[in-house]
């Protein structure tokens, strides 16, 4: 079984309920047996006179203007387990700009893909009722107005595809 070695970066050595050292990797390859001293996905315990705990990862939500900096692990008394600690900090201006540019590019690609769906619907335009044509026209206009939304590009309210898509694609069967 292949084990993700990053898993072993999330142990802390504790003493009397306080973190002594973090991160630590208690896993050691024993030359005599060719095995490791702890099993894969070990939750922690006493080893060589030291106490180790696995620190679970539960990152807080951030927005594009923030980054997480790892801090000292903490014990959650309600869940009765250790967690990696994080602190939110302001992201550097370069990272914010990169995140915004990536979001703009992704959003523009999504808009283009959805406009392609609109174009395909227009190709079968002769099968659409006037009401369906109006719904598709409204949909196209809403797609084109996405960049004008106040939260663009990080918070977008996407328009719904008109329900007529399925009915417009149906084929009529004629008996001979």
């Amino acid at each position: 079984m292949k084990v993700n070695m990053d898993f072993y970066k999330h142990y802390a050595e504790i003493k009397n309920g306080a973190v002594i050292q973090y991160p630590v990797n208690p896993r050691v390859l024993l030359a005599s047996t060719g095995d490791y001293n702890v099993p894969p996905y070990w939750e922690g315990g006493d080893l060589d006179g030291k106490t180790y705990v696995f620190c679970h990862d539960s990152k807080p939500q951030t927005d594009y203007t923030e980054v997480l900096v790892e801090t000292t692990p903490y014990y959650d008394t309600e869940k009765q387990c250790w967690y990696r600690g994080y602190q939110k900090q302001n992201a550097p201006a370069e990272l914010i700009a990169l995140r915004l540019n990536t979001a703009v590019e992704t959003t523009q690609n999504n808009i283009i893909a959805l406009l392609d769906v609109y174009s395909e619907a227009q190709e079968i335009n002769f099968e659409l009722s006037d009401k369906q044509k109006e719904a598709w026209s409204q949909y196209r206009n809403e797609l084109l107005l996405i960049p004008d939304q106040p939260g663009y590009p990080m918070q977008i309210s996407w328009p719904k595809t008109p329900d007529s898509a399925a009915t417009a694609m149906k084929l009529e069967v004629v008996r001979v």
Side-chain angles (χ1 to χ4, degrees), residues 1 72 138 162 168:
M1 165 172 50
T72 305
Q138 179 65 30

Side-chain angles (χ1 to χ4, degrees), residues 6-145:
D6 286 341
F7 183 84
Y8 293 99
K9 294 179 182 176
H10 308 299
Y11 284 93
E13 179 185 343
I14 62 166
K15 187 173 186 177
N16 299 325
V19 175
I20 302 298
Q21 187 178 4
Y22 177 81
V24 294
N25 182 357
R27 192 169 197 242
V28 176
L29 182 62
L30 303 173
S32 60
T33 63
D35 290 327
Y36 287 95
N37 61 336
V38 296
Y41 307 110
W42 182 55
E43 283 289 320
D46 292 329
L47 181 67
D48 299 327
K50 297 178 181 176
T51 302
Y52 297 96
V53 293
F54 178 75
C55 301
H56 297 269
D57 199 9
S58 181
K59 293 180 181 172
Q61 293 283 43
T62 59
D63 68 24
Y64 71 98
T65 64
E66 300 172 319
V67 292
L68 292 177
V69 176
E70 194 161 4
T71 61
T72 305
Y74 65 94
Y75 185 74
D76 185 322
T77 54
E78 186 177 307
K79 295 180 182 175
Q80 297 187 348
C81 60
W82 286 85
Y83 284 92
R84 295 167 63 184
Y86 293 97
Q87 181 180 33
K88 292 180 184 182
Q89 292 184 355
N90 291 332
E94 301 83 24
L95 182 57
I96 293 171
L98 176 66
R99 288 175 175 173
L100 282 171
N101 288 338
T102 301
V104 166
E105 185 177 314
T106 301
T107 302
Q108 288 173 343
N109 288 338
N110 288 338
I111 291 170
I112 290 167
L114 292 171
L115 286 170
D116 285 345
V117 170
Y118 168 79
S119 296
E120 289 171 13
Q122 294 310 300
E123 289 175 14
I124 57 167
N125 199 357
F126 61 89
E127 296 180 16
L128 297 176
S129 69
D130 288 342
K131 186 176 177 181
Q132 290 170 326
K133 290 176 186 176
E134 178 59 33
W136 277 102
S137 178
Q138 179 65 30
Y139 174 71
R140 178 185 178 277
N141 290 337
E142 289 175 11
L143 286 173
L144 294 173
L145 291 174

